[in-house]
Amino acid sequence: MSTPSLVHAVNVHKSFGRNEVLKGIDLDVSSGEVVCLLGPSGSGKTTFLRCINQLEKIDGGRIWVDGELAGYVEKNGRLYTLPDKAIAAQRREIGMVFQRFNLFPHKTALENVTEAPTKVKGQSRAEATKRAHELLERVGLAERADHYPAQLSGGQQQRVAIARALAMDPKLMLFDEPTSALDPELVGEVLRVMRELADAGMTMIVVTHEVAFARDVADRVVFMDGGVVVEEGPAAQVIRNPEHERTRAFLSRIRSQEEQHEVPGA
Amino acid sequence: MSSTPASTLPGPAGEGDGRPGPIHAVPVRRPAVWVSVVITTIVVLMVADVLVTNKNIHWPFVFQAMIQSPVIRGLLLGTLLGTVGSMALGVVLGITLGVMRLSDNWVLRWVSWVYVWFFRAIPRYVLLSTMGVLGYLWPKGLEVGVPFLHQVAGWFGGELDPYITTVNANHLFVGLLGGILGLGLSEGAYMAEIARAGILSVDQGQHEAAHALGMSKSTTMRRIVLPQAMRVIVPPTGNEAVGMLKDTSLLVALPVTAEMFYQLSAIGNREFEPFAISVAAILWYLILGSVFMAVQAWLERRYGRGFGSRTATEWGAAARVLGRLNAGAR
Ligand SMILES: Nc1ncnc2c1ncn2[C@@H]1O[C@H](COP(=O)(O)OP(=O)(O)O)[C@@H](O)[C@H]1O
Ligand SMILES: [Mg+2]
């Protein structure tokens, strides 16, 4: 490899009880790259994202983020588990956007964005507030700063969630189906913000069913099924000419669903 | 959609085009409202009749007794300070125990469970009487030091003073301080269950979002989870506080005499006015209970931020009920 990967995952295994969900995932994401993870429901995409920022502990394999082994230090051929504080420090470098937004409902949009910089990074309130206003402006919600999440639409909440993650200046952003919980007419505003983020050079791993977004924005598409990577390659190639039968079946199923959605609106 | 022809629609027509207009309907008759108004009025009048005309209540005596200085002193110390102090201790203990109960550390989980098991089983009256005689265990004072060190040193033929400091047990366990300690320890057990339910009511996604931002477990608990849990914790805590207000009348078991009901009873026994004294006590408890409810309503609004004010909806519901009553009575 010419450039060192920002994410370097090797042979990642994860089971829930007897159910082996990840069966040896390899993935490399270089700095500035946008990778879309596609795959049918239950194929392990969410689990893999959660393993990258250690919301789940992996059973086998290794994940390095920016050259640092996630969750462990290796000394004299032995692995030592990192203490909670060190794991929290590693997570600071990774922003995560959830399918169900998970904004803090007792805090306004602005407070959602300033919470982690002030409490985790020790930024001053003034500094964090200034930065939060800039970020809210960037996601198009400058006038919604004082609204509570319950007073915002799903699309607005998800954009606040993106601003909240960006406030920690992460090196990597993980998106887990960020538009799946949204009404169809609100999907566009969130995808637009994500596309701008990609254009600005953010490294992103995006789990999505939005094939058009993957085709237009992603540098690379990874297709997962049954806990393994079935196929990966440049976005246009995997989506236009999938090599694998399972990829083809999945893409045609997605397309027919999209057409069904489009009929009533047409 | 096609509109229904005007000719098939009975009732007054709206605008000139014959489409249905505003609704001015006759409300449903509610005879049950009238019946309940009559019955309630009769009962209220009967009670009022007793209160006003019964010569054995001696109202002037009731009001005088309420404001006697030993009664006021008892009210401020045993009743109010006792409630506030033991609730403060109970809330802090309860939230700590609730967090411990949900910890990854099995020792803390176990300690919390045993604590709740122990203090929930003991009646407050019995707990307070026990505290009153706890001083007998340490007639020379309560020594704080290394457990069993004295005995262990003895086995090796040595003499060691294991004590770091000595507390006068009769100061710690009796009097109002002992009462607050006893009631607070007991309350901690109930508050632990309330706090646990509150913490569990917060969505798992909130923990995950906070962790993903790099927050430690303790920051997540303090800044994200507990403030949201408070919304669930506050209403039952209000009930607990009103319950505690009433349970301060058990302080006599310790004994604490600077307490409102004890002082009123003393006056009642002296003046042979047992009933008037009960009325005086009930009036004080009603007044204090109302104040507590107001504080609770304020707290609920405070912790309901971002969730839509439930108190407001309750007032709204009350207003709607009243409105319906009016409509029915018209
Ligand atoms: N916390 C969990 N406990 C047990 N099983 C889980 C858990 N999380 C996910 N799974 C299982 O792992 C499999 C993969 O889930 P997931 O990663 O959510 O897939 P995807 O995001 O691709 O739809 C599913 O069979 C799911 O039931
Ligand atoms: Mg998923």
Side-chain angles (χ1 to χ4, degrees), chain A residues 155-175:
Chain A
Q156 292 170 334
Q157 288 189 56
Q158 194 61 297
R159 287 185 281 150
V160 173
I162 294 173
R164 174 176 74 173
L166 292 175
M168 290 296 283
D169 293 317
K171 293 176 182 142
L172 167 70
M173 286 283 285
L174 307 174
F175 294 84

PDB file of all heavy atoms in Angstrom, chain A residues 155-175:
ATOM      1  N   GLY A 155     -35.445  14.902   9.524  1.00  0.00           N
ATOM      2  CA  GLY A 155     -34.308  15.312   8.705  1.00  0.00           C
ATOM      3  C   GLY A 155     -33.463  16.348   9.426  1.00  0.00           C
ATOM      4  O   GLY A 155     -32.225  16.319   9.385  1.00  0.00           O
ATOM      5  N   GLN A 156     -34.144  17.274  10.119  1.00  0.00           N
ATOM      6  CA  GLN A 156     -33.406  18.297  10.880  1.00  0.00           C
ATOM      7  C   GLN A 156     -32.650  17.659  12.033  1.00  0.00           C
ATOM      8  O   GLN A 156     -31.497  17.997  12.303  1.00  0.00           O
ATOM      9  CB  GLN A 156     -34.388  19.359  11.394  1.00  0.00           C
ATOM     10  CG  GLN A 156     -34.983  20.206  10.271  1.00  0.00           C
ATOM     11  CD  GLN A 156     -36.117  21.083  10.752  1.00  0.00           C
ATOM     12  OE1 GLN A 156     -36.790  20.768  11.734  1.00  0.00           O
ATOM     13  NE2 GLN A 156     -36.342  22.188  10.063  1.00  0.00           N
ATOM     14  N   GLN A 157     -33.309  16.686  12.720  1.00  0.00           N
ATOM     15  CA  GLN A 157     -32.626  16.012  13.826  1.00  0.00           C
ATOM     16  C   GLN A 157     -31.368  15.316  13.341  1.00  0.00           C
ATOM     17  O   GLN A 157     -30.315  15.380  13.974  1.00  0.00           O
ATOM     18  CB  GLN A 157     -33.563  14.988  14.479  1.00  0.00           C
ATOM     19  CG  GLN A 157     -34.677  15.601  15.283  1.00  0.00           C
ATOM     20  CD  GLN A 157     -35.436  14.540  16.070  1.00  0.00           C
ATOM     21  OE1 GLN A 157     -34.861  13.791  16.839  1.00  0.00           O
ATOM     22  NE2 GLN A 157     -36.736  14.488  15.870  1.00  0.00           N
ATOM     23  N   GLN A 158     -31.472  14.652  12.183  1.00  0.00           N
ATOM     24  CA  GLN A 158     -30.308  13.930  11.695  1.00  0.00           C
ATOM     25  C   GLN A 158     -29.192  14.892  11.317  1.00  0.00           C
ATOM     26  O   GLN A 158     -28.015  14.598  11.521  1.00  0.00           O
ATOM     27  CB  GLN A 158     -30.710  13.025  10.512  1.00  0.00           C
ATOM     28  CG  GLN A 158     -29.681  11.983  10.139  1.00  0.00           C
ATOM     29  CD  GLN A 158     -29.378  11.006  11.272  1.00  0.00           C
ATOM     30  OE1 GLN A 158     -28.871  11.393  12.329  1.00  0.00           O
ATOM     31  NE2 GLN A 158     -29.690   9.739  11.070  1.00  0.00           N
ATOM     32  N   ARG A 159     -29.553  16.060  10.821  1.00  0.00           N
ATOM     33  CA  ARG A 159     -28.513  17.035  10.486  1.00  0.00           C
ATOM     34  C   ARG A 159     -27.857  17.579  11.744  1.00  0.00           C
ATOM     35  O   ARG A 159     -26.648  17.827  11.766  1.00  0.00           O
ATOM     36  CB  ARG A 159     -29.097  18.157   9.616  1.00  0.00           C
ATOM     37  CG  ARG A 159     -29.375  17.668   8.185  1.00  0.00           C
ATOM     38  CD  ARG A 159     -29.839  18.785   7.298  1.00  0.00           C
ATOM     39  NE  ARG A 159     -31.244  19.105   7.502  1.00  0.00           N
ATOM     40  CZ  ARG A 159     -31.759  20.318   7.327  1.00  0.00           C
ATOM     41  NH1 ARG A 159     -30.978  21.335   6.989  1.00  0.00           N
ATOM     42  NH2 ARG A 159     -33.043  20.522   7.503  1.00  0.00           N
ATOM     43  N   VAL A 160     -28.652  17.777  12.820  1.00  0.00           N
ATOM     44  CA  VAL A 160     -28.048  18.178  14.106  1.00  0.00           C
ATOM     45  C   VAL A 160     -27.099  17.084  14.578  1.00  0.00           C
ATOM     46  O   VAL A 160     -25.989  17.360  15.053  1.00  0.00           O
ATOM     47  CB  VAL A 160     -29.127  18.444  15.183  1.00  0.00           C
ATOM     48  CG1 VAL A 160     -28.473  18.682  16.542  1.00  0.00           C
ATOM     49  CG2 VAL A 160     -29.992  19.630  14.792  1.00  0.00           C
ATOM     50  N   ALA A 161     -27.508  15.823  14.405  1.00  0.00           N
ATOM     51  CA  ALA A 161     -26.662  14.706  14.840  1.00  0.00           C
ATOM     52  C   ALA A 161     -25.335  14.716  14.080  1.00  0.00           C
ATOM     53  O   ALA A 161     -24.280  14.419  14.650  1.00  0.00           O
ATOM     54  CB  ALA A 161     -27.386  13.380  14.637  1.00  0.00           C
ATOM     55  N   ILE A 162     -25.377  15.077  12.807  1.00  0.00           N
ATOM     56  CA  ILE A 162     -24.128  15.164  12.029  1.00  0.00           C
ATOM     57  C   ILE A 162     -23.261  16.297  12.569  1.00  0.00           C
ATOM     58  O   ILE A 162     -22.058  16.127  12.793  1.00  0.00           O
ATOM     59  CB  ILE A 162     -24.444  15.357  10.522  1.00  0.00           C
ATOM     60  CG1 ILE A 162     -25.146  14.104   9.970  1.00  0.00           C
ATOM     61  CG2 ILE A 162     -23.166  15.649   9.741  1.00  0.00           C
ATOM     62  CD1 ILE A 162     -25.657  14.246   8.552  1.00  0.00           C
ATOM     63  N   ALA A 163     -23.889  17.448  12.839  1.00  0.00           N
ATOM     64  CA  ALA A 163     -23.137  18.583  13.402  1.00  0.00           C
ATOM     65  C   ALA A 163     -22.531  18.202  14.753  1.00  0.00           C
ATOM     66  O   ALA A 163     -21.385  18.551  15.059  1.00  0.00           O
ATOM     67  CB  ALA A 163     -24.052  19.796  13.554  1.00  0.00           C
ATOM     68  N   ARG A 164     -23.299  17.463  15.566  1.00  0.00           N
ATOM     69  CA  ARG A 164     -22.820  17.054  16.882  1.00  0.00           C
ATOM     70  C   ARG A 164     -21.562  16.186  16.759  1.00  0.00           C
ATOM     71  O   ARG A 164     -20.599  16.359  17.505  1.00  0.00           O
ATOM     72  CB  ARG A 164     -23.930  16.269  17.597  1.00  0.00           C
ATOM     73  CG  ARG A 164     -23.515  15.674  18.913  1.00  0.00           C
ATOM     74  CD  ARG A 164     -24.661  15.005  19.621  1.00  0.00           C
ATOM     75  NE  ARG A 164     -25.030  13.729  18.998  1.00  0.00           N
ATOM     76  CZ  ARG A 164     -25.916  12.883  19.513  1.00  0.00           C
ATOM     77  NH1 ARG A 164     -26.539  13.199  20.633  1.00  0.00           N
ATOM     78  NH2 ARG A 164     -26.203  11.751  18.901  1.00  0.00           N
ATOM     79  N   ALA A 165     -21.593  15.265  15.786  1.00  0.00           N
ATOM     80  CA  ALA A 165     -20.422  14.398  15.597  1.00  0.00           C
ATOM     81  C   ALA A 165     -19.224  15.209  15.077  1.00  0.00           C
ATOM     82  O   ALA A 165     -18.101  15.014  15.519  1.00  0.00           O
ATOM     83  CB  ALA A 165     -20.757  13.267  14.636  1.00  0.00           C
ATOM     84  N   LEU A 166     -19.492  16.154  14.161  1.00  0.00           N
ATOM     85  CA  LEU A 166     -18.394  16.938  13.581  1.00  0.00           C
ATOM     86  C   LEU A 166     -17.734  17.844  14.608  1.00  0.00           C
ATOM     87  O   LEU A 166     -16.558  18.196  14.472  1.00  0.00           O
ATOM     88  CB  LEU A 166     -18.916  17.793  12.412  1.00  0.00           C
ATOM     89  CG  LEU A 166     -19.358  17.032  11.170  1.00  0.00           C
ATOM     90  CD1 LEU A 166     -19.949  17.984  10.149  1.00  0.00           C
ATOM     91  CD2 LEU A 166     -18.181  16.269  10.572  1.00  0.00           C
ATOM     92  N   ALA A 167     -18.475  18.212  15.651  1.00  0.00           N
ATOM     93  CA  ALA A 167     -17.940  19.137  16.656  1.00  0.00           C
ATOM     94  C   ALA A 167     -16.717  18.568  17.355  1.00  0.00           C
ATOM     95  O   ALA A 167     -15.932  19.305  17.939  1.00  0.00           O
ATOM     96  CB  ALA A 167     -19.013  19.494  17.673  1.00  0.00           C
ATOM     97  N   MET A 168     -16.561  17.246  17.334  1.00  0.00           N
ATOM     98  CA  MET A 168     -15.393  16.642  17.975  1.00  0.00           C
ATOM     99  C   MET A 168     -14.203  16.548  17.009  1.00  0.00           C
ATOM    100  O   MET A 168     -13.189  15.936  17.340  1.00  0.00           O
ATOM    101  CB  MET A 168     -15.739  15.244  18.502  1.00  0.00           C
ATOM    102  CG  MET A 168     -16.687  15.253  19.695  1.00  0.00           C
ATOM    103  SD  MET A 168     -15.963  16.054  21.138  1.00  0.00           S
ATOM    104  CE  MET A 168     -14.861  14.773  21.711  1.00  0.00           C
ATOM    105  N   ASP A 169     -14.347  17.125  15.810  1.00  0.00           N
ATOM    106  CA  ASP A 169     -13.290  17.071  14.794  1.00  0.00           C
ATOM    107  C   ASP A 169     -12.788  15.653  14.553  1.00  0.00           C
ATOM    108  O   ASP A 169     -11.585  15.362  14.685  1.00  0.00           O
ATOM    109  CB  ASP A 169     -12.102  17.960  15.196  1.00  0.00           C
ATOM    110  CG  ASP A 169     -12.484  19.423  15.191  1.00  0.00           C
ATOM    111  OD1 ASP A 169     -13.168  19.839  14.230  1.00  0.00           O
ATOM    112  OD2 ASP A 169     -12.124  20.131  16.148  1.00  0.00           O
ATOM    113  N   PRO A 170     -13.705  14.744  14.193  1.00  0.00           N
ATOM    114  CA  PRO A 170     -13.277  13.355  14.015  1.00  0.00           C
ATOM    115  C   PRO A 170     -12.471  13.187  12.730  1.00  0.00           C
ATOM    116  O   PRO A 170     -12.600  13.974  11.803  1.00  0.00           O
ATOM    117  CB  PRO A 170     -14.606  12.602  13.909  1.00  0.00           C
ATOM    118  CG  PRO A 170     -15.565  13.596  13.352  1.00  0.00           C
ATOM    119  CD  PRO A 170     -15.139  14.938  13.882  1.00  0.00           C
ATOM    120  N   LYS A 171     -11.640  12.140  12.734  1.00  0.00           N
ATOM    121  CA  LYS A 171     -10.888  11.813  11.527  1.00  0.00           C
ATOM    122  C   LYS A 171     -11.724  10.960  10.591  1.00  0.00           C
ATOM    123  O   LYS A 171     -11.418  10.819   9.421  1.00  0.00           O
ATOM    124  CB  LYS A 171      -9.644  11.000  11.906  1.00  0.00           C
ATOM    125  CG  LYS A 171      -8.642  11.785  12.689  1.00  0.00           C
ATOM    126  CD  LYS A 171      -7.498  10.866  13.087  1.00  0.00           C
ATOM    127  CE  LYS A 171      -6.489  11.628  13.920  1.00  0.00           C
ATOM    128  NZ  LYS A 171      -5.954  10.777  14.983  1.00  0.00           N
ATOM    129  N   LEU A 172     -12.743  10.335  11.191  1.00  0.00           N
ATOM    130  CA  LEU A 172     -13.524   9.350  10.450  1.00  0.00           C
ATOM    131  C   LEU A 172     -14.979   9.507  10.860  1.00  0.00           C
ATOM    132  O   LEU A 172     -15.273   9.724  12.034  1.00  0.00           O
ATOM    133  CB  LEU A 172     -13.026   7.948  10.835  1.00  0.00           C
ATOM    134  CG  LEU A 172     -13.863   6.748  10.427  1.00  0.00           C
ATOM    135  CD1 LEU A 172     -13.810   6.552   8.922  1.00  0.00           C
ATOM    136  CD2 LEU A 172     -13.370   5.487  11.141  1.00  0.00           C
ATOM    137  N   MET A 173     -15.891   9.424   9.887  1.00  0.00           N
ATOM    138  CA  MET A 173     -17.314   9.474  10.205  1.00  0.00           C
ATOM    139  C   MET A 173     -17.965   8.165   9.794  1.00  0.00           C
ATOM    140  O   MET A 173     -17.778   7.690   8.670  1.00  0.00           O
ATOM    141  CB  MET A 173     -17.992  10.635   9.463  1.00  0.00           C
ATOM    142  CG  MET A 173     -17.680  12.008  10.035  1.00  0.00           C
ATOM    143  SD  MET A 173     -18.591  12.380  11.560  1.00  0.00           S
ATOM    144  CE  MET A 173     -20.220  12.701  10.915  1.00  0.00           C
ATOM    145  N   LEU A 174     -18.753   7.597  10.718  1.00  0.00           N
ATOM    146  CA  LEU A 174     -19.499   6.381  10.427  1.00  0.00           C
ATOM    147  C   LEU A 174     -20.977   6.736  10.349  1.00  0.00           C
ATOM    148  O   LEU A 174     -21.498   7.415  11.234  1.00  0.00           O
ATOM    149  CB  LEU A 174     -19.282   5.353  11.543  1.00  0.00           C
ATOM    150  CG  LEU A 174     -17.837   5.021  11.916  1.00  0.00           C
ATOM    151  CD1 LEU A 174     -17.806   4.091  13.129  1.00  0.00           C
ATOM    152  CD2 LEU A 174     -17.124   4.378  10.745  1.00  0.00           C
ATOM    153  N   PHE A 175     -21.638   6.297   9.320  1.00  0.00           N
ATOM    154  CA  PHE A 175     -23.075   6.553   9.175  1.00  0.00           C
ATOM    155  C   PHE A 175     -23.797   5.219   9.085  1.00  0.00           C
ATOM    156  O   PHE A 175     -23.519   4.423   8.193  1.00  0.00           O
ATOM    157  CB  PHE A 175     -23.377   7.341   7.890  1.00  0.00           C
ATOM    158  CG  PHE A 175     -22.833   8.744   7.888  1.00  0.00           C
ATOM    159  CD1 PHE A 175     -21.522   8.980   7.513  1.00  0.00           C
ATOM    160  CD2 PHE A 175     -23.632   9.825   8.224  1.00  0.00           C
ATOM    161  CE1 PHE A 175     -21.015  10.279   7.491  1.00  0.00           C
ATOM    162  CE2 PHE A 175     -23.132  11.110   8.211  1.00  0.00           C
ATOM    163  CZ  PHE A 175     -21.823  11.342   7.844  1.00  0.00           C
TER     164      PHE A 175
END
